[in-house]
Structures are given as C-alpha cells and as structure tokens.
Amino acid sequence: MEYKFEYEHKFYRLTGITPLLGSQPANPAVRSAWIASKAPEGVKEMEDGELFGSEEDYRNAPNIFLRDAQNGDRLFLYDYIIKGFFKEVLNSLTAVTGMNSAKSKVDKFMFTGPRHLYVLRDGKPIIDEDGICERPLRTSGPSGQRVTLASSEMILDPWTMEFWIELVPNKKTALSAPLNWKVIEKGFNHGRRSGLGTVARGRPGAVHMGGNTEIKRRRRARRRRIRAVRAVRRKREMKINRLEIENVKRVKAVALEPAANGLTVIGGKNGQGKTSVLDAIAWALGGDRFRPDAPRREGSAIPPRLKVEMDSGLIVERRGDNSTLYVTDPSGRKGGQKLLNEFVEQLALDLPRFLNAPPGEKAETLLKVAGVGDRLREMEREENEVYNRRRAIGQIADQKEKFAREMPMYEDMPRQVVSAGELIKRQQDILARNGENERKRMNKTRLENELAMATRERDGLIRQLREAEIWVERVTNDLETANRDALELRDESTEQLERDIASIEEINARVRANLDREKAMEDAEMYRRQYDEMTTALEKIRDGKKALLDGAKLPLKGLTVEKGELYYNGYSWDGMSGSEQLKVATAIVRGINPKCGFVLLDGLEALDGDTLRRFGEWLESESLQAIATRVSTDGDECQIIIEDGEAVALVEPERTWEEGKF
C-alpha cells in the first residue's frame, strides 16, 4: 500500500550582512568523502576538526566555494549548510523556543532544497569570489592542539541565497516544543548573530531573512487576479462577444457573434431551435435555475456544451455529462456562479416575465430601480387613507344637504320652540292687568253714584251744606282724576294667545323642523369645509409623490408611476406601442443591474419591421445589446437563420457540421 504525505512547503530568501567564507576543503579527495557523508541518505554529525582533513590538505590551498561546472561555474553551497545552521542556532535558542533535541528534530522533520544553493548578487549568480580571507585558527585533532593560519575564499556582502524548506508536521511533547514555522523563522532572525557556511563560529556569513518569496509570489499573483476581477466588475455594462452552443435542446451546433450594440435577431421557422439558443444562453449565465428539463439534444451521444465569451474577457463554459460550470476571468482565475450573478440580471434572461407581469408588479419593479419604493408606498397609503376619508365625508355632506333641502320650511315662525307655560303666564299677566282696569271702572261707577246721592242730600241737608260742599269738591276732584285715567285705558285681546295655546304643538313642530333644517345645513357646511381641507391635503401628497418621482433617478426619461401603475410619456402599459414596451422593459432591466448590458427576447414576430428598427436604433443609442428570436427567414430582418438546429449563413455558403467540432 502506498501512502502520500502532504508536507508544508515554503520558500525563503536570506540576505548576507557580513562576508560569506568558503568552507569546502580544496583537496578533492577529502571534499568528495566529506560531501558524500553529508548526502541526505547518509547524513551523520562531524566535529569541527573533521572539516579540515589532514594538515597537508588545508596548508596548500584555502577553503573554497564549490563551483557548478555545468552552469557556468556558479558558486554554491550544499543544502545541508541550512540544516547545520539550524542545528547550531536552535541548540543556542533552547530557552527561547522550548525545544530539546533540536538536532534530532531537524534531521527527522526538516528538509531543504535545492541541492545546490547558488550565491546571488542583485539577483544574478556569482561566478568569482571577491578575495581571500586569512585568519588564525585553533583546533584539536588526533595529534593534539594546534594553531594554524586558515584562509578561505570570500564573497563580500551584500549577497543573497534562495531555497525551500519542507516541514513534516510534528507534535509537542511533554519535554519539547514542536518544530514549526515560527521556530524556523526565529532561527533565521538569529542569523544576524550566527554565521552561515563558516568554518568557525562568529559573525562571518551573518544573514537576515528577506521574506517568504513563495508567499510574496502568491500575494503578487493574488493581487493581479484581484485587479483583473475588479476590472471585470468595474466595467459599466457587460455584453456577449461570442457564444458557441452544441447539443442543447433542439440545437446541434450554433456559433454566433452578436452585435455589440443594437438588436441581433435569430430567425427561422417554428421548431428549428431559435428559442433553444436563448435558453442555452440563459442556462450558461443564469445557472441551474434556467437549466432546461431535458438539456441534451435528442439522439445526441455528446453532452451539451456551452461557451459564452463576454466583452470583458470573462469566459463562461458548461461542459461534460454534468454540464459543470467553468468561469474564467481575464487573469486566468477560476470563478463560479457568484461572479456571474454580479452582472447578470435575472430579468435580462427572462424578459417576458416582466412584459407579462401585472401593472402593479411593473410599477413596483420601477420603484425598486428608482430606490423610492418604500417612501412612495407610504405616500400612496397616506393618499388612499385621506382620499377614502374625504370621499366618506363628501358623501355625508351630500346626504346632509339633500336631507335638509327635502325638509319643510315655515315662514314667520319664531326662532325657538314656544313653551305652553310661558304662553299661560303671559295670558295671566294680561288678565291681571285687565282685572285692574275693571276695578278702576267699577270705582268710577261707584263715585258717580256717590255724587248723585250727595247732590240729592245737599238739598235736604242744609245743615250739612258746608261738609257736603267740601265732600262734593273732593269727590269732584277724584272723579276728574278717574275720568282721565279711564280715558287712557285700553283692554288687550287674548284671542291670539288663546289660538296659540290651542295650536302650540303644531307651532313647535314647525319650529323644530326649521331648527333641524338649519342644523342639517350647518352640518353640511362643516363637512364641506373638511372635504376642502382634505382635498388640499390630498393635492399636497400628490405633489410630494410627483416631486419624489421627479427627483428619483429613473432608468428612462418619461417613466413614472401613477395610481400604482407604470406610465411612459403619459401612457399606461396597455397604451404603449410594442417598441415602447420593449424599450421600457430593457431600460428597467439595466436600471436593476447597470452592469448587465444585454437582454434576451423571444418571439418578436408580432412586431413589424419599423418597430424592430426603432427598437434597434434605441438600443444602439443607449449602447445596449439585445439577442432576440423571430419566426422569419427574411435576411433583412434577421442576422442569423436557424434550420434544424444549425445556423444557416445568409451570405456565406453553407458549412457542414461534425458533432463535437465547430
């Protein structure tokens, strides 16, 4: 059984900040044995003294850099130099990394390459050393302590070296931390203090980590891809440059390059595959929602294949038995349906859905485009509420006024209802005054009688003459006063009051009728005032709606919404011409998603040539693209004719088709 392991892989670049010294013995025999011992399949530790060989080996020649004769004598170090560097550094960083047995972990879990590590300057391989470095060297060998003058080839800083590291995943143990990328980069950072490739510890060959070149490369590539995708997304309108369709529904093979701006009409007889072309485009760009129930052409052994090239460089393909989607942006990066959804509007692929929608739904779509739907709906709700209240109040006012006019009106009637008690009191007052007058009349008669008696007695009563004369004089004076009072008295008639008392109920009924009529007229006037106030409020709301729509960014000049319906240049949907309906629908689709610069239209045979021409001219003026079908074989009307699932050239001679080839 074969096992496959996925190791973590990273690229690094080291930059030298001190001169690099050659560390290979000049003696070929010693060097070959030494290098063989450092090979990956036979790695074993060597003491510092073993680097020198015998005294004769290093007395005659300095330590050197190896040269790759097959690549222009480029100077290089072997890959084990990196592992040796890490063993020494990690042993000195045990307290920092928490790692014990660093040498064992480097040997087991860390692999480096390539085998030859070329020394670079300014990105180019170094061929010649910069000089010879001589220094005293103390070491121990089989013959005991010795001091000698060591010399090495030298490369001056700055220099660089690039390599990769593969790391086998390993776990933390109770006694030691794992060897991971964090530990490796700590070791590289320690390279400022520890040399690389030197024959003795010290600062020669000190380095600093220049960065993970693979990560940088990937980041640069990612930035390039992002810029390419953003360029696609920044494009104002996306259109179809070319499409290839094979074995979809009734289509055998069709290749089409629609006009960038204007109308491209696909003609043909019924059942030849015109609609299948539009269905294939919708499926390619719209996703599985538009997948036909039976996508493969009947009788075909080859699965459907779709390819749509957009003017932005985006390529959309569906191929294979499962019709797998492949989306490739201009940078070569793969994408999916999510990228397509950013610029493909669903209504552009299914425009009849908008054309056949109810008037309210069309208006709602336009308001969604204008971004004022919520506010306009609130204003319409308020308008309907005020309109209904005003209508109800107007009806009440009309009813009140009609009722008031039908009520009887009596002239010369008092303003208020007459009270029977009031009339009786007035009658009693008059009778009291009349009784007083009667008493005065009786008093007059009595005095007249007394005067007559006094006159008769005056003749008989001489003795009482003086008294009688005085009495006569007094009574005469009283009589004169009584006469004057009697002449001024006039009796009041109670006849009218008696008639009023007898007819009080009838009078009051008439008075109440007048009052009711007056109240009805007042109510009617009040409701009329309320009606006028609500009319003013209604006009204000309608003015606000008009201002809201006038200020909204509508996709086509002349579009508006009135009473919940879509209007264009004052005409409702049913009042528009065919070209106007297509123009409005296409403009609204672009308004929903400005990045979508095309629409698909099926069944334009109901439109005459002039209507098609006007619609095409408008598309060109708006830099829009439409791909449509029409039952026709007229080359003047159609740019391509479909017969039996294949495109028939209008000018070029007919080409044969082989399955799987265009």
Side-chain angles (χ1 to χ4, degrees):
M1 185 178 292
E2 182 179 350
Y3 293 94
K4 183 179 180 181
F5 295 98
E6 293 294 336
Y7 299 155
E8 294 184 72
H9 188 97
K10 288 188 179 183
F11 282 83
Y12 287 95
R13 178 189 295 116
L14 297 182
T15 300
I17 57 177
T18 61
L20 179 66
L21 302 182
S23 58
Q24 304 294 329
N27 187 313
V30 175
R31 187 168 65 247
S32 61
W34 174 46
I35 293 173
S37 69
K38 306 300 288 186
E41 63 273 11
V43 177
K44 70 182 186 65
E45 278 299 321
M46 300 181 67
E47 299 295 331
D48 286 340
E50 294 180 348
L51 294 173
F52 302 100
S54 66
E55 186 173 351
E56 292 295 329
D57 295 331
Y58 60 79
R59 179 179 298 167
N60 298 327
N63 291 325
I64 63 172
F65 291 102
L66 296 179
R67 287 164 170 79
D68 189 349
Q70 297 180 354
N71 289 286
D73 289 333
R74 298 178 181 181
L75 303 185
F76 71 91
L77 303 179
Y78 276 111
D79 55 352
Y80 58 76
I81 293 295
I82 302 298
K83 297 185 74 170
F85 166 80
F86 267 101
K87 292 176 183 179
E88 182 177 354
V89 167
L90 294 182
N91 277 334
S92 65
L93 295 178
T94 301
V96 177
T97 62
M99 181 187 299
N100 296 319
S101 304
K103 291 184 178 182
S104 175
K105 289 196 173 185
V106 169
D107 284 336
K108 290 180 180 179
F109 304 125
M110 179 176 171
F111 300 92
T112 62
R115 182 67 169 156
H116 293 181
L117 305 181
Y118 295 110
V119 186
L120 311 174
R121 179 176 288 127
D122 297 329
K124 299 179 181 179
I126 298 175
I127 299 176
D128 296 318
E129 73 279 3
D130 296 323
I132 302 295
C133 176
E134 293 183 342
R135 66 210 182 280
L137 181 65
R138 181 187 301 274
T139 184
S140 296
S143 57
Q145 279 287 71
R146 60 185 178 181
V147 178
T148 185
L149 182 65
S151 63
S152 300
E153 293 180 343
M154 175 176 61
I155 297 176
L156 298 176
D157 59 285
W159 49 268
T160 59
M161 187 179 297
E162 296 180 353
F163 54 92
W164 51 259
I165 294 178
E166 283 185 347
L167 186 62
V168 179
N170 56 99
K171 297 181 180 180
K172 178 181 179 181
T173 64
L175 300 177
S176 178
L179 177 61
N180 53 33
W181 296 112
K182 186 175 180 181
V183 172
I184 289 173
E185 292 180 3
K186 282 184 178 179
F188 279 136
N189 290 330
H190 192 69
R192 293 177 179 273
R193 302 169 182 83
S194 178
L196 177 68
T198 60
V199 295
R201 299 175 180 86
R203 288 277 297 175
V207 295
H208 71 82
M209 184 170 60
N212 188 329
T213 57
E214 175 65 13
I215 291 176
K216 289 184 178 180
R217 185 189 65 78
R218 291 178 181 175
R219 286 176 179 173
R220 286 194 298 269
R222 181 173 180 270
R223 284 196 294 268
R224 286 195 298 269
R225 290 194 297 268
I226 290 174
R227 283 196 295 269
V229 172
R230 286 177 178 173
V232 171
R233 293 174 176 171
R234 279 197 303 269
K235 183 171 177 59
R236 184 175 179 271
E237 294 173 346
M238 298 275 278
K239 302 172 188 175
I240 298 173
N241 262 3
R242 176 179 170 82
L243 58 94
E244 297 175 1
I245 305 169
E246 184 178 357
N247 295 323
V248 178
K249 297 182 71 174
R250 291 181 179 270
V251 173
K252 291 181 181 178
V254 171
L256 174 62
E257 294 184 8
N261 296 315
L263 181 62
T264 300
V265 179
I266 302 172
K269 297 179 180 179
N270 287 323
Q272 299 301 303
K274 303 183 304 300
T275 303
S276 297
V277 173
L278 299 188
D279 292 344
I281 299 173
W283 179 24
L285 299 179
D288 290 337
R289 175 183 175 185
F290 294 92
R291 178 188 176 96
D293 293 335
R296 181 181 294 197
R297 183 174 63 87
E298 185 177 355
S300 173
I302 299 178
R305 187 179 76 86
L306 308 170
K307 183 177 181 181
V308 181
E309 297 180 9
M310 309 303 295
D311 61 350
S312 64
L314 201 70
I315 298 177
V316 182
E317 295 181 90
R318 287 187 181 274
R319 58 180 184 266
D321 290 331
N322 296 324
S323 299
T324 306
L325 174 66
Y326 300 90
V327 181
T328 309
D329 64 28
S331 70
R333 184 188 180 191
K334 304 299 182 181
Q337 190 63 46
K338 184 177 180 181
L339 179 60
L340 297 180
N341 291 341
E342 292 187 16
F343 68 87
V344 176
E345 171 52 40
Q346 300 292 317
L347 284 180
L349 306 177
D350 188 13
L351 197 62
R353 174 181 154 198
F354 177 83
L355 296 173
N356 301 324
E361 187 174 329
K362 291 188 179 76
E364 186 68 23
T365 303
L366 176 60
L367 296 177
K368 178 182 176 182
V369 173
V372 297
D374 293 341
R375 176 58 184 149
L376 194 65
R377 279 193 294 273
E378 178 64 23
M379 295 180 74
E380 286 182 344
R381 184 196 63 76
E382 187 178 352
E383 177 188 10
N384 291 333
E385 184 178 330
V386 174
Y387 175 81
N388 292 333
R389 288 207 314 267
R390 188 192 69 161
R391 183 167 176 266
I393 287 175
Q395 291 174 345
I396 294 172
D398 291 341
Q399 293 172 358
K400 290 283 185 181
E401 186 173 352
K402 181 180 178 182
F403 178 71
R405 293 188 184 283
E406 291 175 352
M407 296 175 69
M409 178 66 182
Y410 301 98
E411 302 294 338
D412 300 329
M413 288 289 105
R415 295 286 300 170
Q416 299 295 331
V417 176
V418 180
S419 171
E422 179 67 22
L423 292 177
I424 293 173
K425 183 176 181 302
R426 289 170 56 192
Q427 181 188 34
Q428 289 176 347
D429 291 341
I430 293 174
L431 291 175
R433 290 194 298 273
N434 290 343
E436 179 65 19
N437 292 341
E438 184 64 25
R439 185 187 64 77
K440 290 181 178 180
R441 291 188 188 97
M442 291 177 64
N443 185 44
K444 170 181 173 284
T445 303
R446 181 180 60 77
L447 290 174
E448 288 176 345
N449 292 333
E450 285 184 2
L451 179 58
M453 288 177 65
T455 302
R456 285 192 302 270
E457 287 180 1
R458 184 186 59 186
D459 295 339
L461 298 172
I462 297 303
R463 290 179 301 175
Q464 298 177 353
L465 181 58
R466 186 177 298 276
E467 295 177 1
E469 289 178 353
I470 296 171
W471 184 23
V472 169
E473 185 179 1
R474 179 174 58 81
V475 172
T476 300
N477 292 335
D478 292 341
L479 180 61
E480 290 177 357
T481 302
N483 283 333
R484 288 194 302 270
D485 292 341
L487 290 174
E488 296 175 357
L489 294 177
R490 294 291 187 271
D491 289 342
E492 297 181 28
S493 175
T494 63
E495 182 179 355
Q496 182 62 41
L497 287 173
E498 290 171 355
R499 287 196 302 270
D500 290 345
I501 291 172
S503 61
I504 187 171
E505 290 301 326
E506 181 181 356
I507 292 172
N508 283 342
R510 293 181 178 183
V511 170
R512 290 190 183 95
N514 288 348
L515 291 174
D516 290 342
R517 186 177 187 277
E518 184 177 351
K519 179 66 168 57
M521 293 299 290
E522 290 176 355
D523 289 346
E525 182 63 25
M526 179 190 68
Y527 284 113
R528 287 295 179 199
R529 288 195 301 270
Q530 292 183 13
Y531 184 88
D532 293 340
E533 291 172 357
M534 290 186 178
T535 299
T536 303
L538 198 59
E539 291 174 352
K540 185 177 179 181
I541 293 173
R542 288 172 177 170
D543 290 342
K545 283 175 55 183
K546 185 176 183 302
L548 183 65
L549 289 173
D550 290 343
K553 187 177 181 181
L554 298 175
L556 188 63
K557 185 178 180 181
L559 276 178
T560 187
V561 174
E562 297 179 11
K563 299 178 181 178
E565 291 191 25
L566 185 148
Y567 281 76
Y568 177 58
N569 290 335
Y571 292 98
S572 66
W573 183 263
D574 293 336
M576 300 179 197
S577 66
S579 63
E580 287 176 333
Q581 289 181 348
L582 291 176
K583 186 188 302 184
V584 168
T586 305
I588 289 177
V589 168
R590 179 177 59 178
I592 295 174
N593 188 347
K595 294 182 179 180
C596 185
F598 68 92
V599 293
L600 307 181
L601 299 166
D602 190 22
L604 296 189
E605 53 271 4
L607 304 181
D608 57 36
D610 290 339
T611 300
L612 287 177
R613 178 180 52 78
R614 288 194 299 271
F615 179 54
E617 290 173 352
W618 177 81
L619 287 170
E620 291 181 7
S621 67
E622 296 292 325
S623 298
L624 289 172
Q625 180 188 67
I627 302 175
T629 64
R630 178 181 176 86
V631 177
S632 173
T633 57
D634 187 350
D636 294 335
E637 296 177 349
C638 307
Q639 285 70 48
I640 184 174
I641 302 297
I642 303 293
E643 288 185 6
D644 194 23
E646 295 184 81
V648 178
L650 297 177
V651 178
E652 301 175 2
E654 183 177 354
R655 294 178 295 179
T656 59
W657 170 77
E658 294 182 14
E659 207 164 319
K661 298 182 180 179
F662 281 90

